[in-house]
């Protein structure tokens, strides 16, 4: 059963993605990334699985060499609205590719983007007159992070049961 409410904390994202706490806080405070949940002052922030997928995608863009403002700007401008508007459950991400088309000389968060559903058996063709594009496999990212989040939840349940019942001899 998928519960579509924010249920993960900073520590879960740090462990799952991975991202440092400082980078996550900077993405929110300086790079305009807006998670679905806005906490009240003094309360902890919670993240939905859509937020986790978005942060993981931004981290993948950062691994390609893009700075945090461009990576999180692209996510906030394009990926987050797509996830919130068209994706109801993590399985809905299966086969989704995010095509980012940089301008001739650089990439900005206003870059034209496109989302398409693709199977691994289809060829992805880009017209010869088009610039090369960055392809982010949202489906794989969603599967990876959601599996990690579920494993974290399972480990918590096992740990809690072990503490309640004690070791079995």
């Amino acid at each position: 059963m998928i519960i579509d409410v924010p249920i993960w904390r900073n520590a879960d994202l740090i462990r799952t993605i991975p991202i440092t706490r400082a980078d996550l806080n900077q993405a929110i405070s300086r790079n305009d990334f807006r998670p679905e949940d806005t906490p009240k002052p003094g309360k902890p922030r919670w993240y939905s699985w859509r937020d986790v997928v978005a942060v993981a995608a931004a981290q993948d863009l950062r691994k390609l060499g893009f700075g945090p403002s461009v990576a999180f700007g692209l996510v906030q401008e394009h990926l987050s609205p797509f996830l919130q508007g068209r994706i109801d459950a993590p399985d809905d991400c299966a086969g989704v590719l995010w095509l980012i088309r940089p301008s001739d000389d650089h990439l900005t968060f206003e870059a034209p983007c496109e989302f398409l559903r693709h199977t691994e058996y289809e060829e992805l063709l880009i017209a010869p007159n088009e610039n090369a594009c960055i392809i982010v496999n949202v489906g794989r990212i969603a599967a990876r992070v959601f599996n990690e989040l579920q494993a974290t939840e399972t480990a918590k349940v096992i740990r809690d049961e072990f503490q309640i019942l004690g070791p079995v001899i």
Side-chain angles (χ1 to χ4, degrees):
M1 178 174 95
I2 305 291
I3 301 172
D4 195 353
V5 296
I7 57 173
W8 289 285
R9 297 181 140 200
N10 282 350
D12 297 318
L13 272 72
I14 291 165
R15 188 173 34 257
T16 300
I17 292 176
I19 185 171
T20 66
R21 187 175 307 275
D23 285 348
L24 184 57
N25 290 335
Q26 180 176 333
I28 295 166
S29 66
R30 293 186 187 162
N31 297 321
D32 296 327
F33 176 67
R34 297 287 167 251
E36 289 184 54
D37 177 56
T38 304
K40 294 180 179 170
K43 298 292 181 184
R45 181 176 301 280
W46 293 89
Y47 298 90
S48 71
W49 64 267
R50 289 181 189 95
D51 294 331
V52 180
V53 170
V55 172
Q59 283 298 94
D60 284 1
L61 289 173
R62 292 192 64 201
K63 289 176 189 173
L64 292 174
F66 297 105
S69 63
V70 171
F72 282 99
L74 281 164
V75 162
Q76 186 61 37
E77 186 73 21
H78 301 284
L79 182 59
S80 289
F82 173 80
L83 291 172
Q84 292 171 16
R86 296 197 182 167
I87 304 295
D88 294 323
D91 290 346
D92 294 345
C93 289
V96 172
L97 299 178
W98 176 22
L99 280 59
I100 306 168
R101 301 187 187 281
S103 66
D104 291 335
D105 59 347
H106 65 288
L107 180 68
T108 67
F109 64 87
E110 292 110 4
C113 293
E114 169 184 2
F115 293 92
L116 57 96
R117 197 163 298 274
H118 185 268
T119 67
E120 56 186 275
Y121 304 109
E122 292 177 276
E123 289 185 25
L124 181 61
L125 301 175
I126 297 176
N129 62 342
E130 292 180 354
N131 288 340
C133 63
I134 297 164
I135 301 171
V136 179
N137 192 327
V138 176
R140 283 193 184 155
I141 292 170
R144 180 185 79 219
V145 299
F146 193 68
N147 288 339
E148 287 289 326
L149 290 169
Q150 284 184 316
T152 300
E153 290 300 313
T154 301
K156 285 179 187 174
V157 168
I158 291 169
R159 186 174 52 247
D160 291 346
E161 286 179 1
F162 183 76
Q163 290 175 350
I164 292 171
L165 299 175
V168 176
I169 300 178

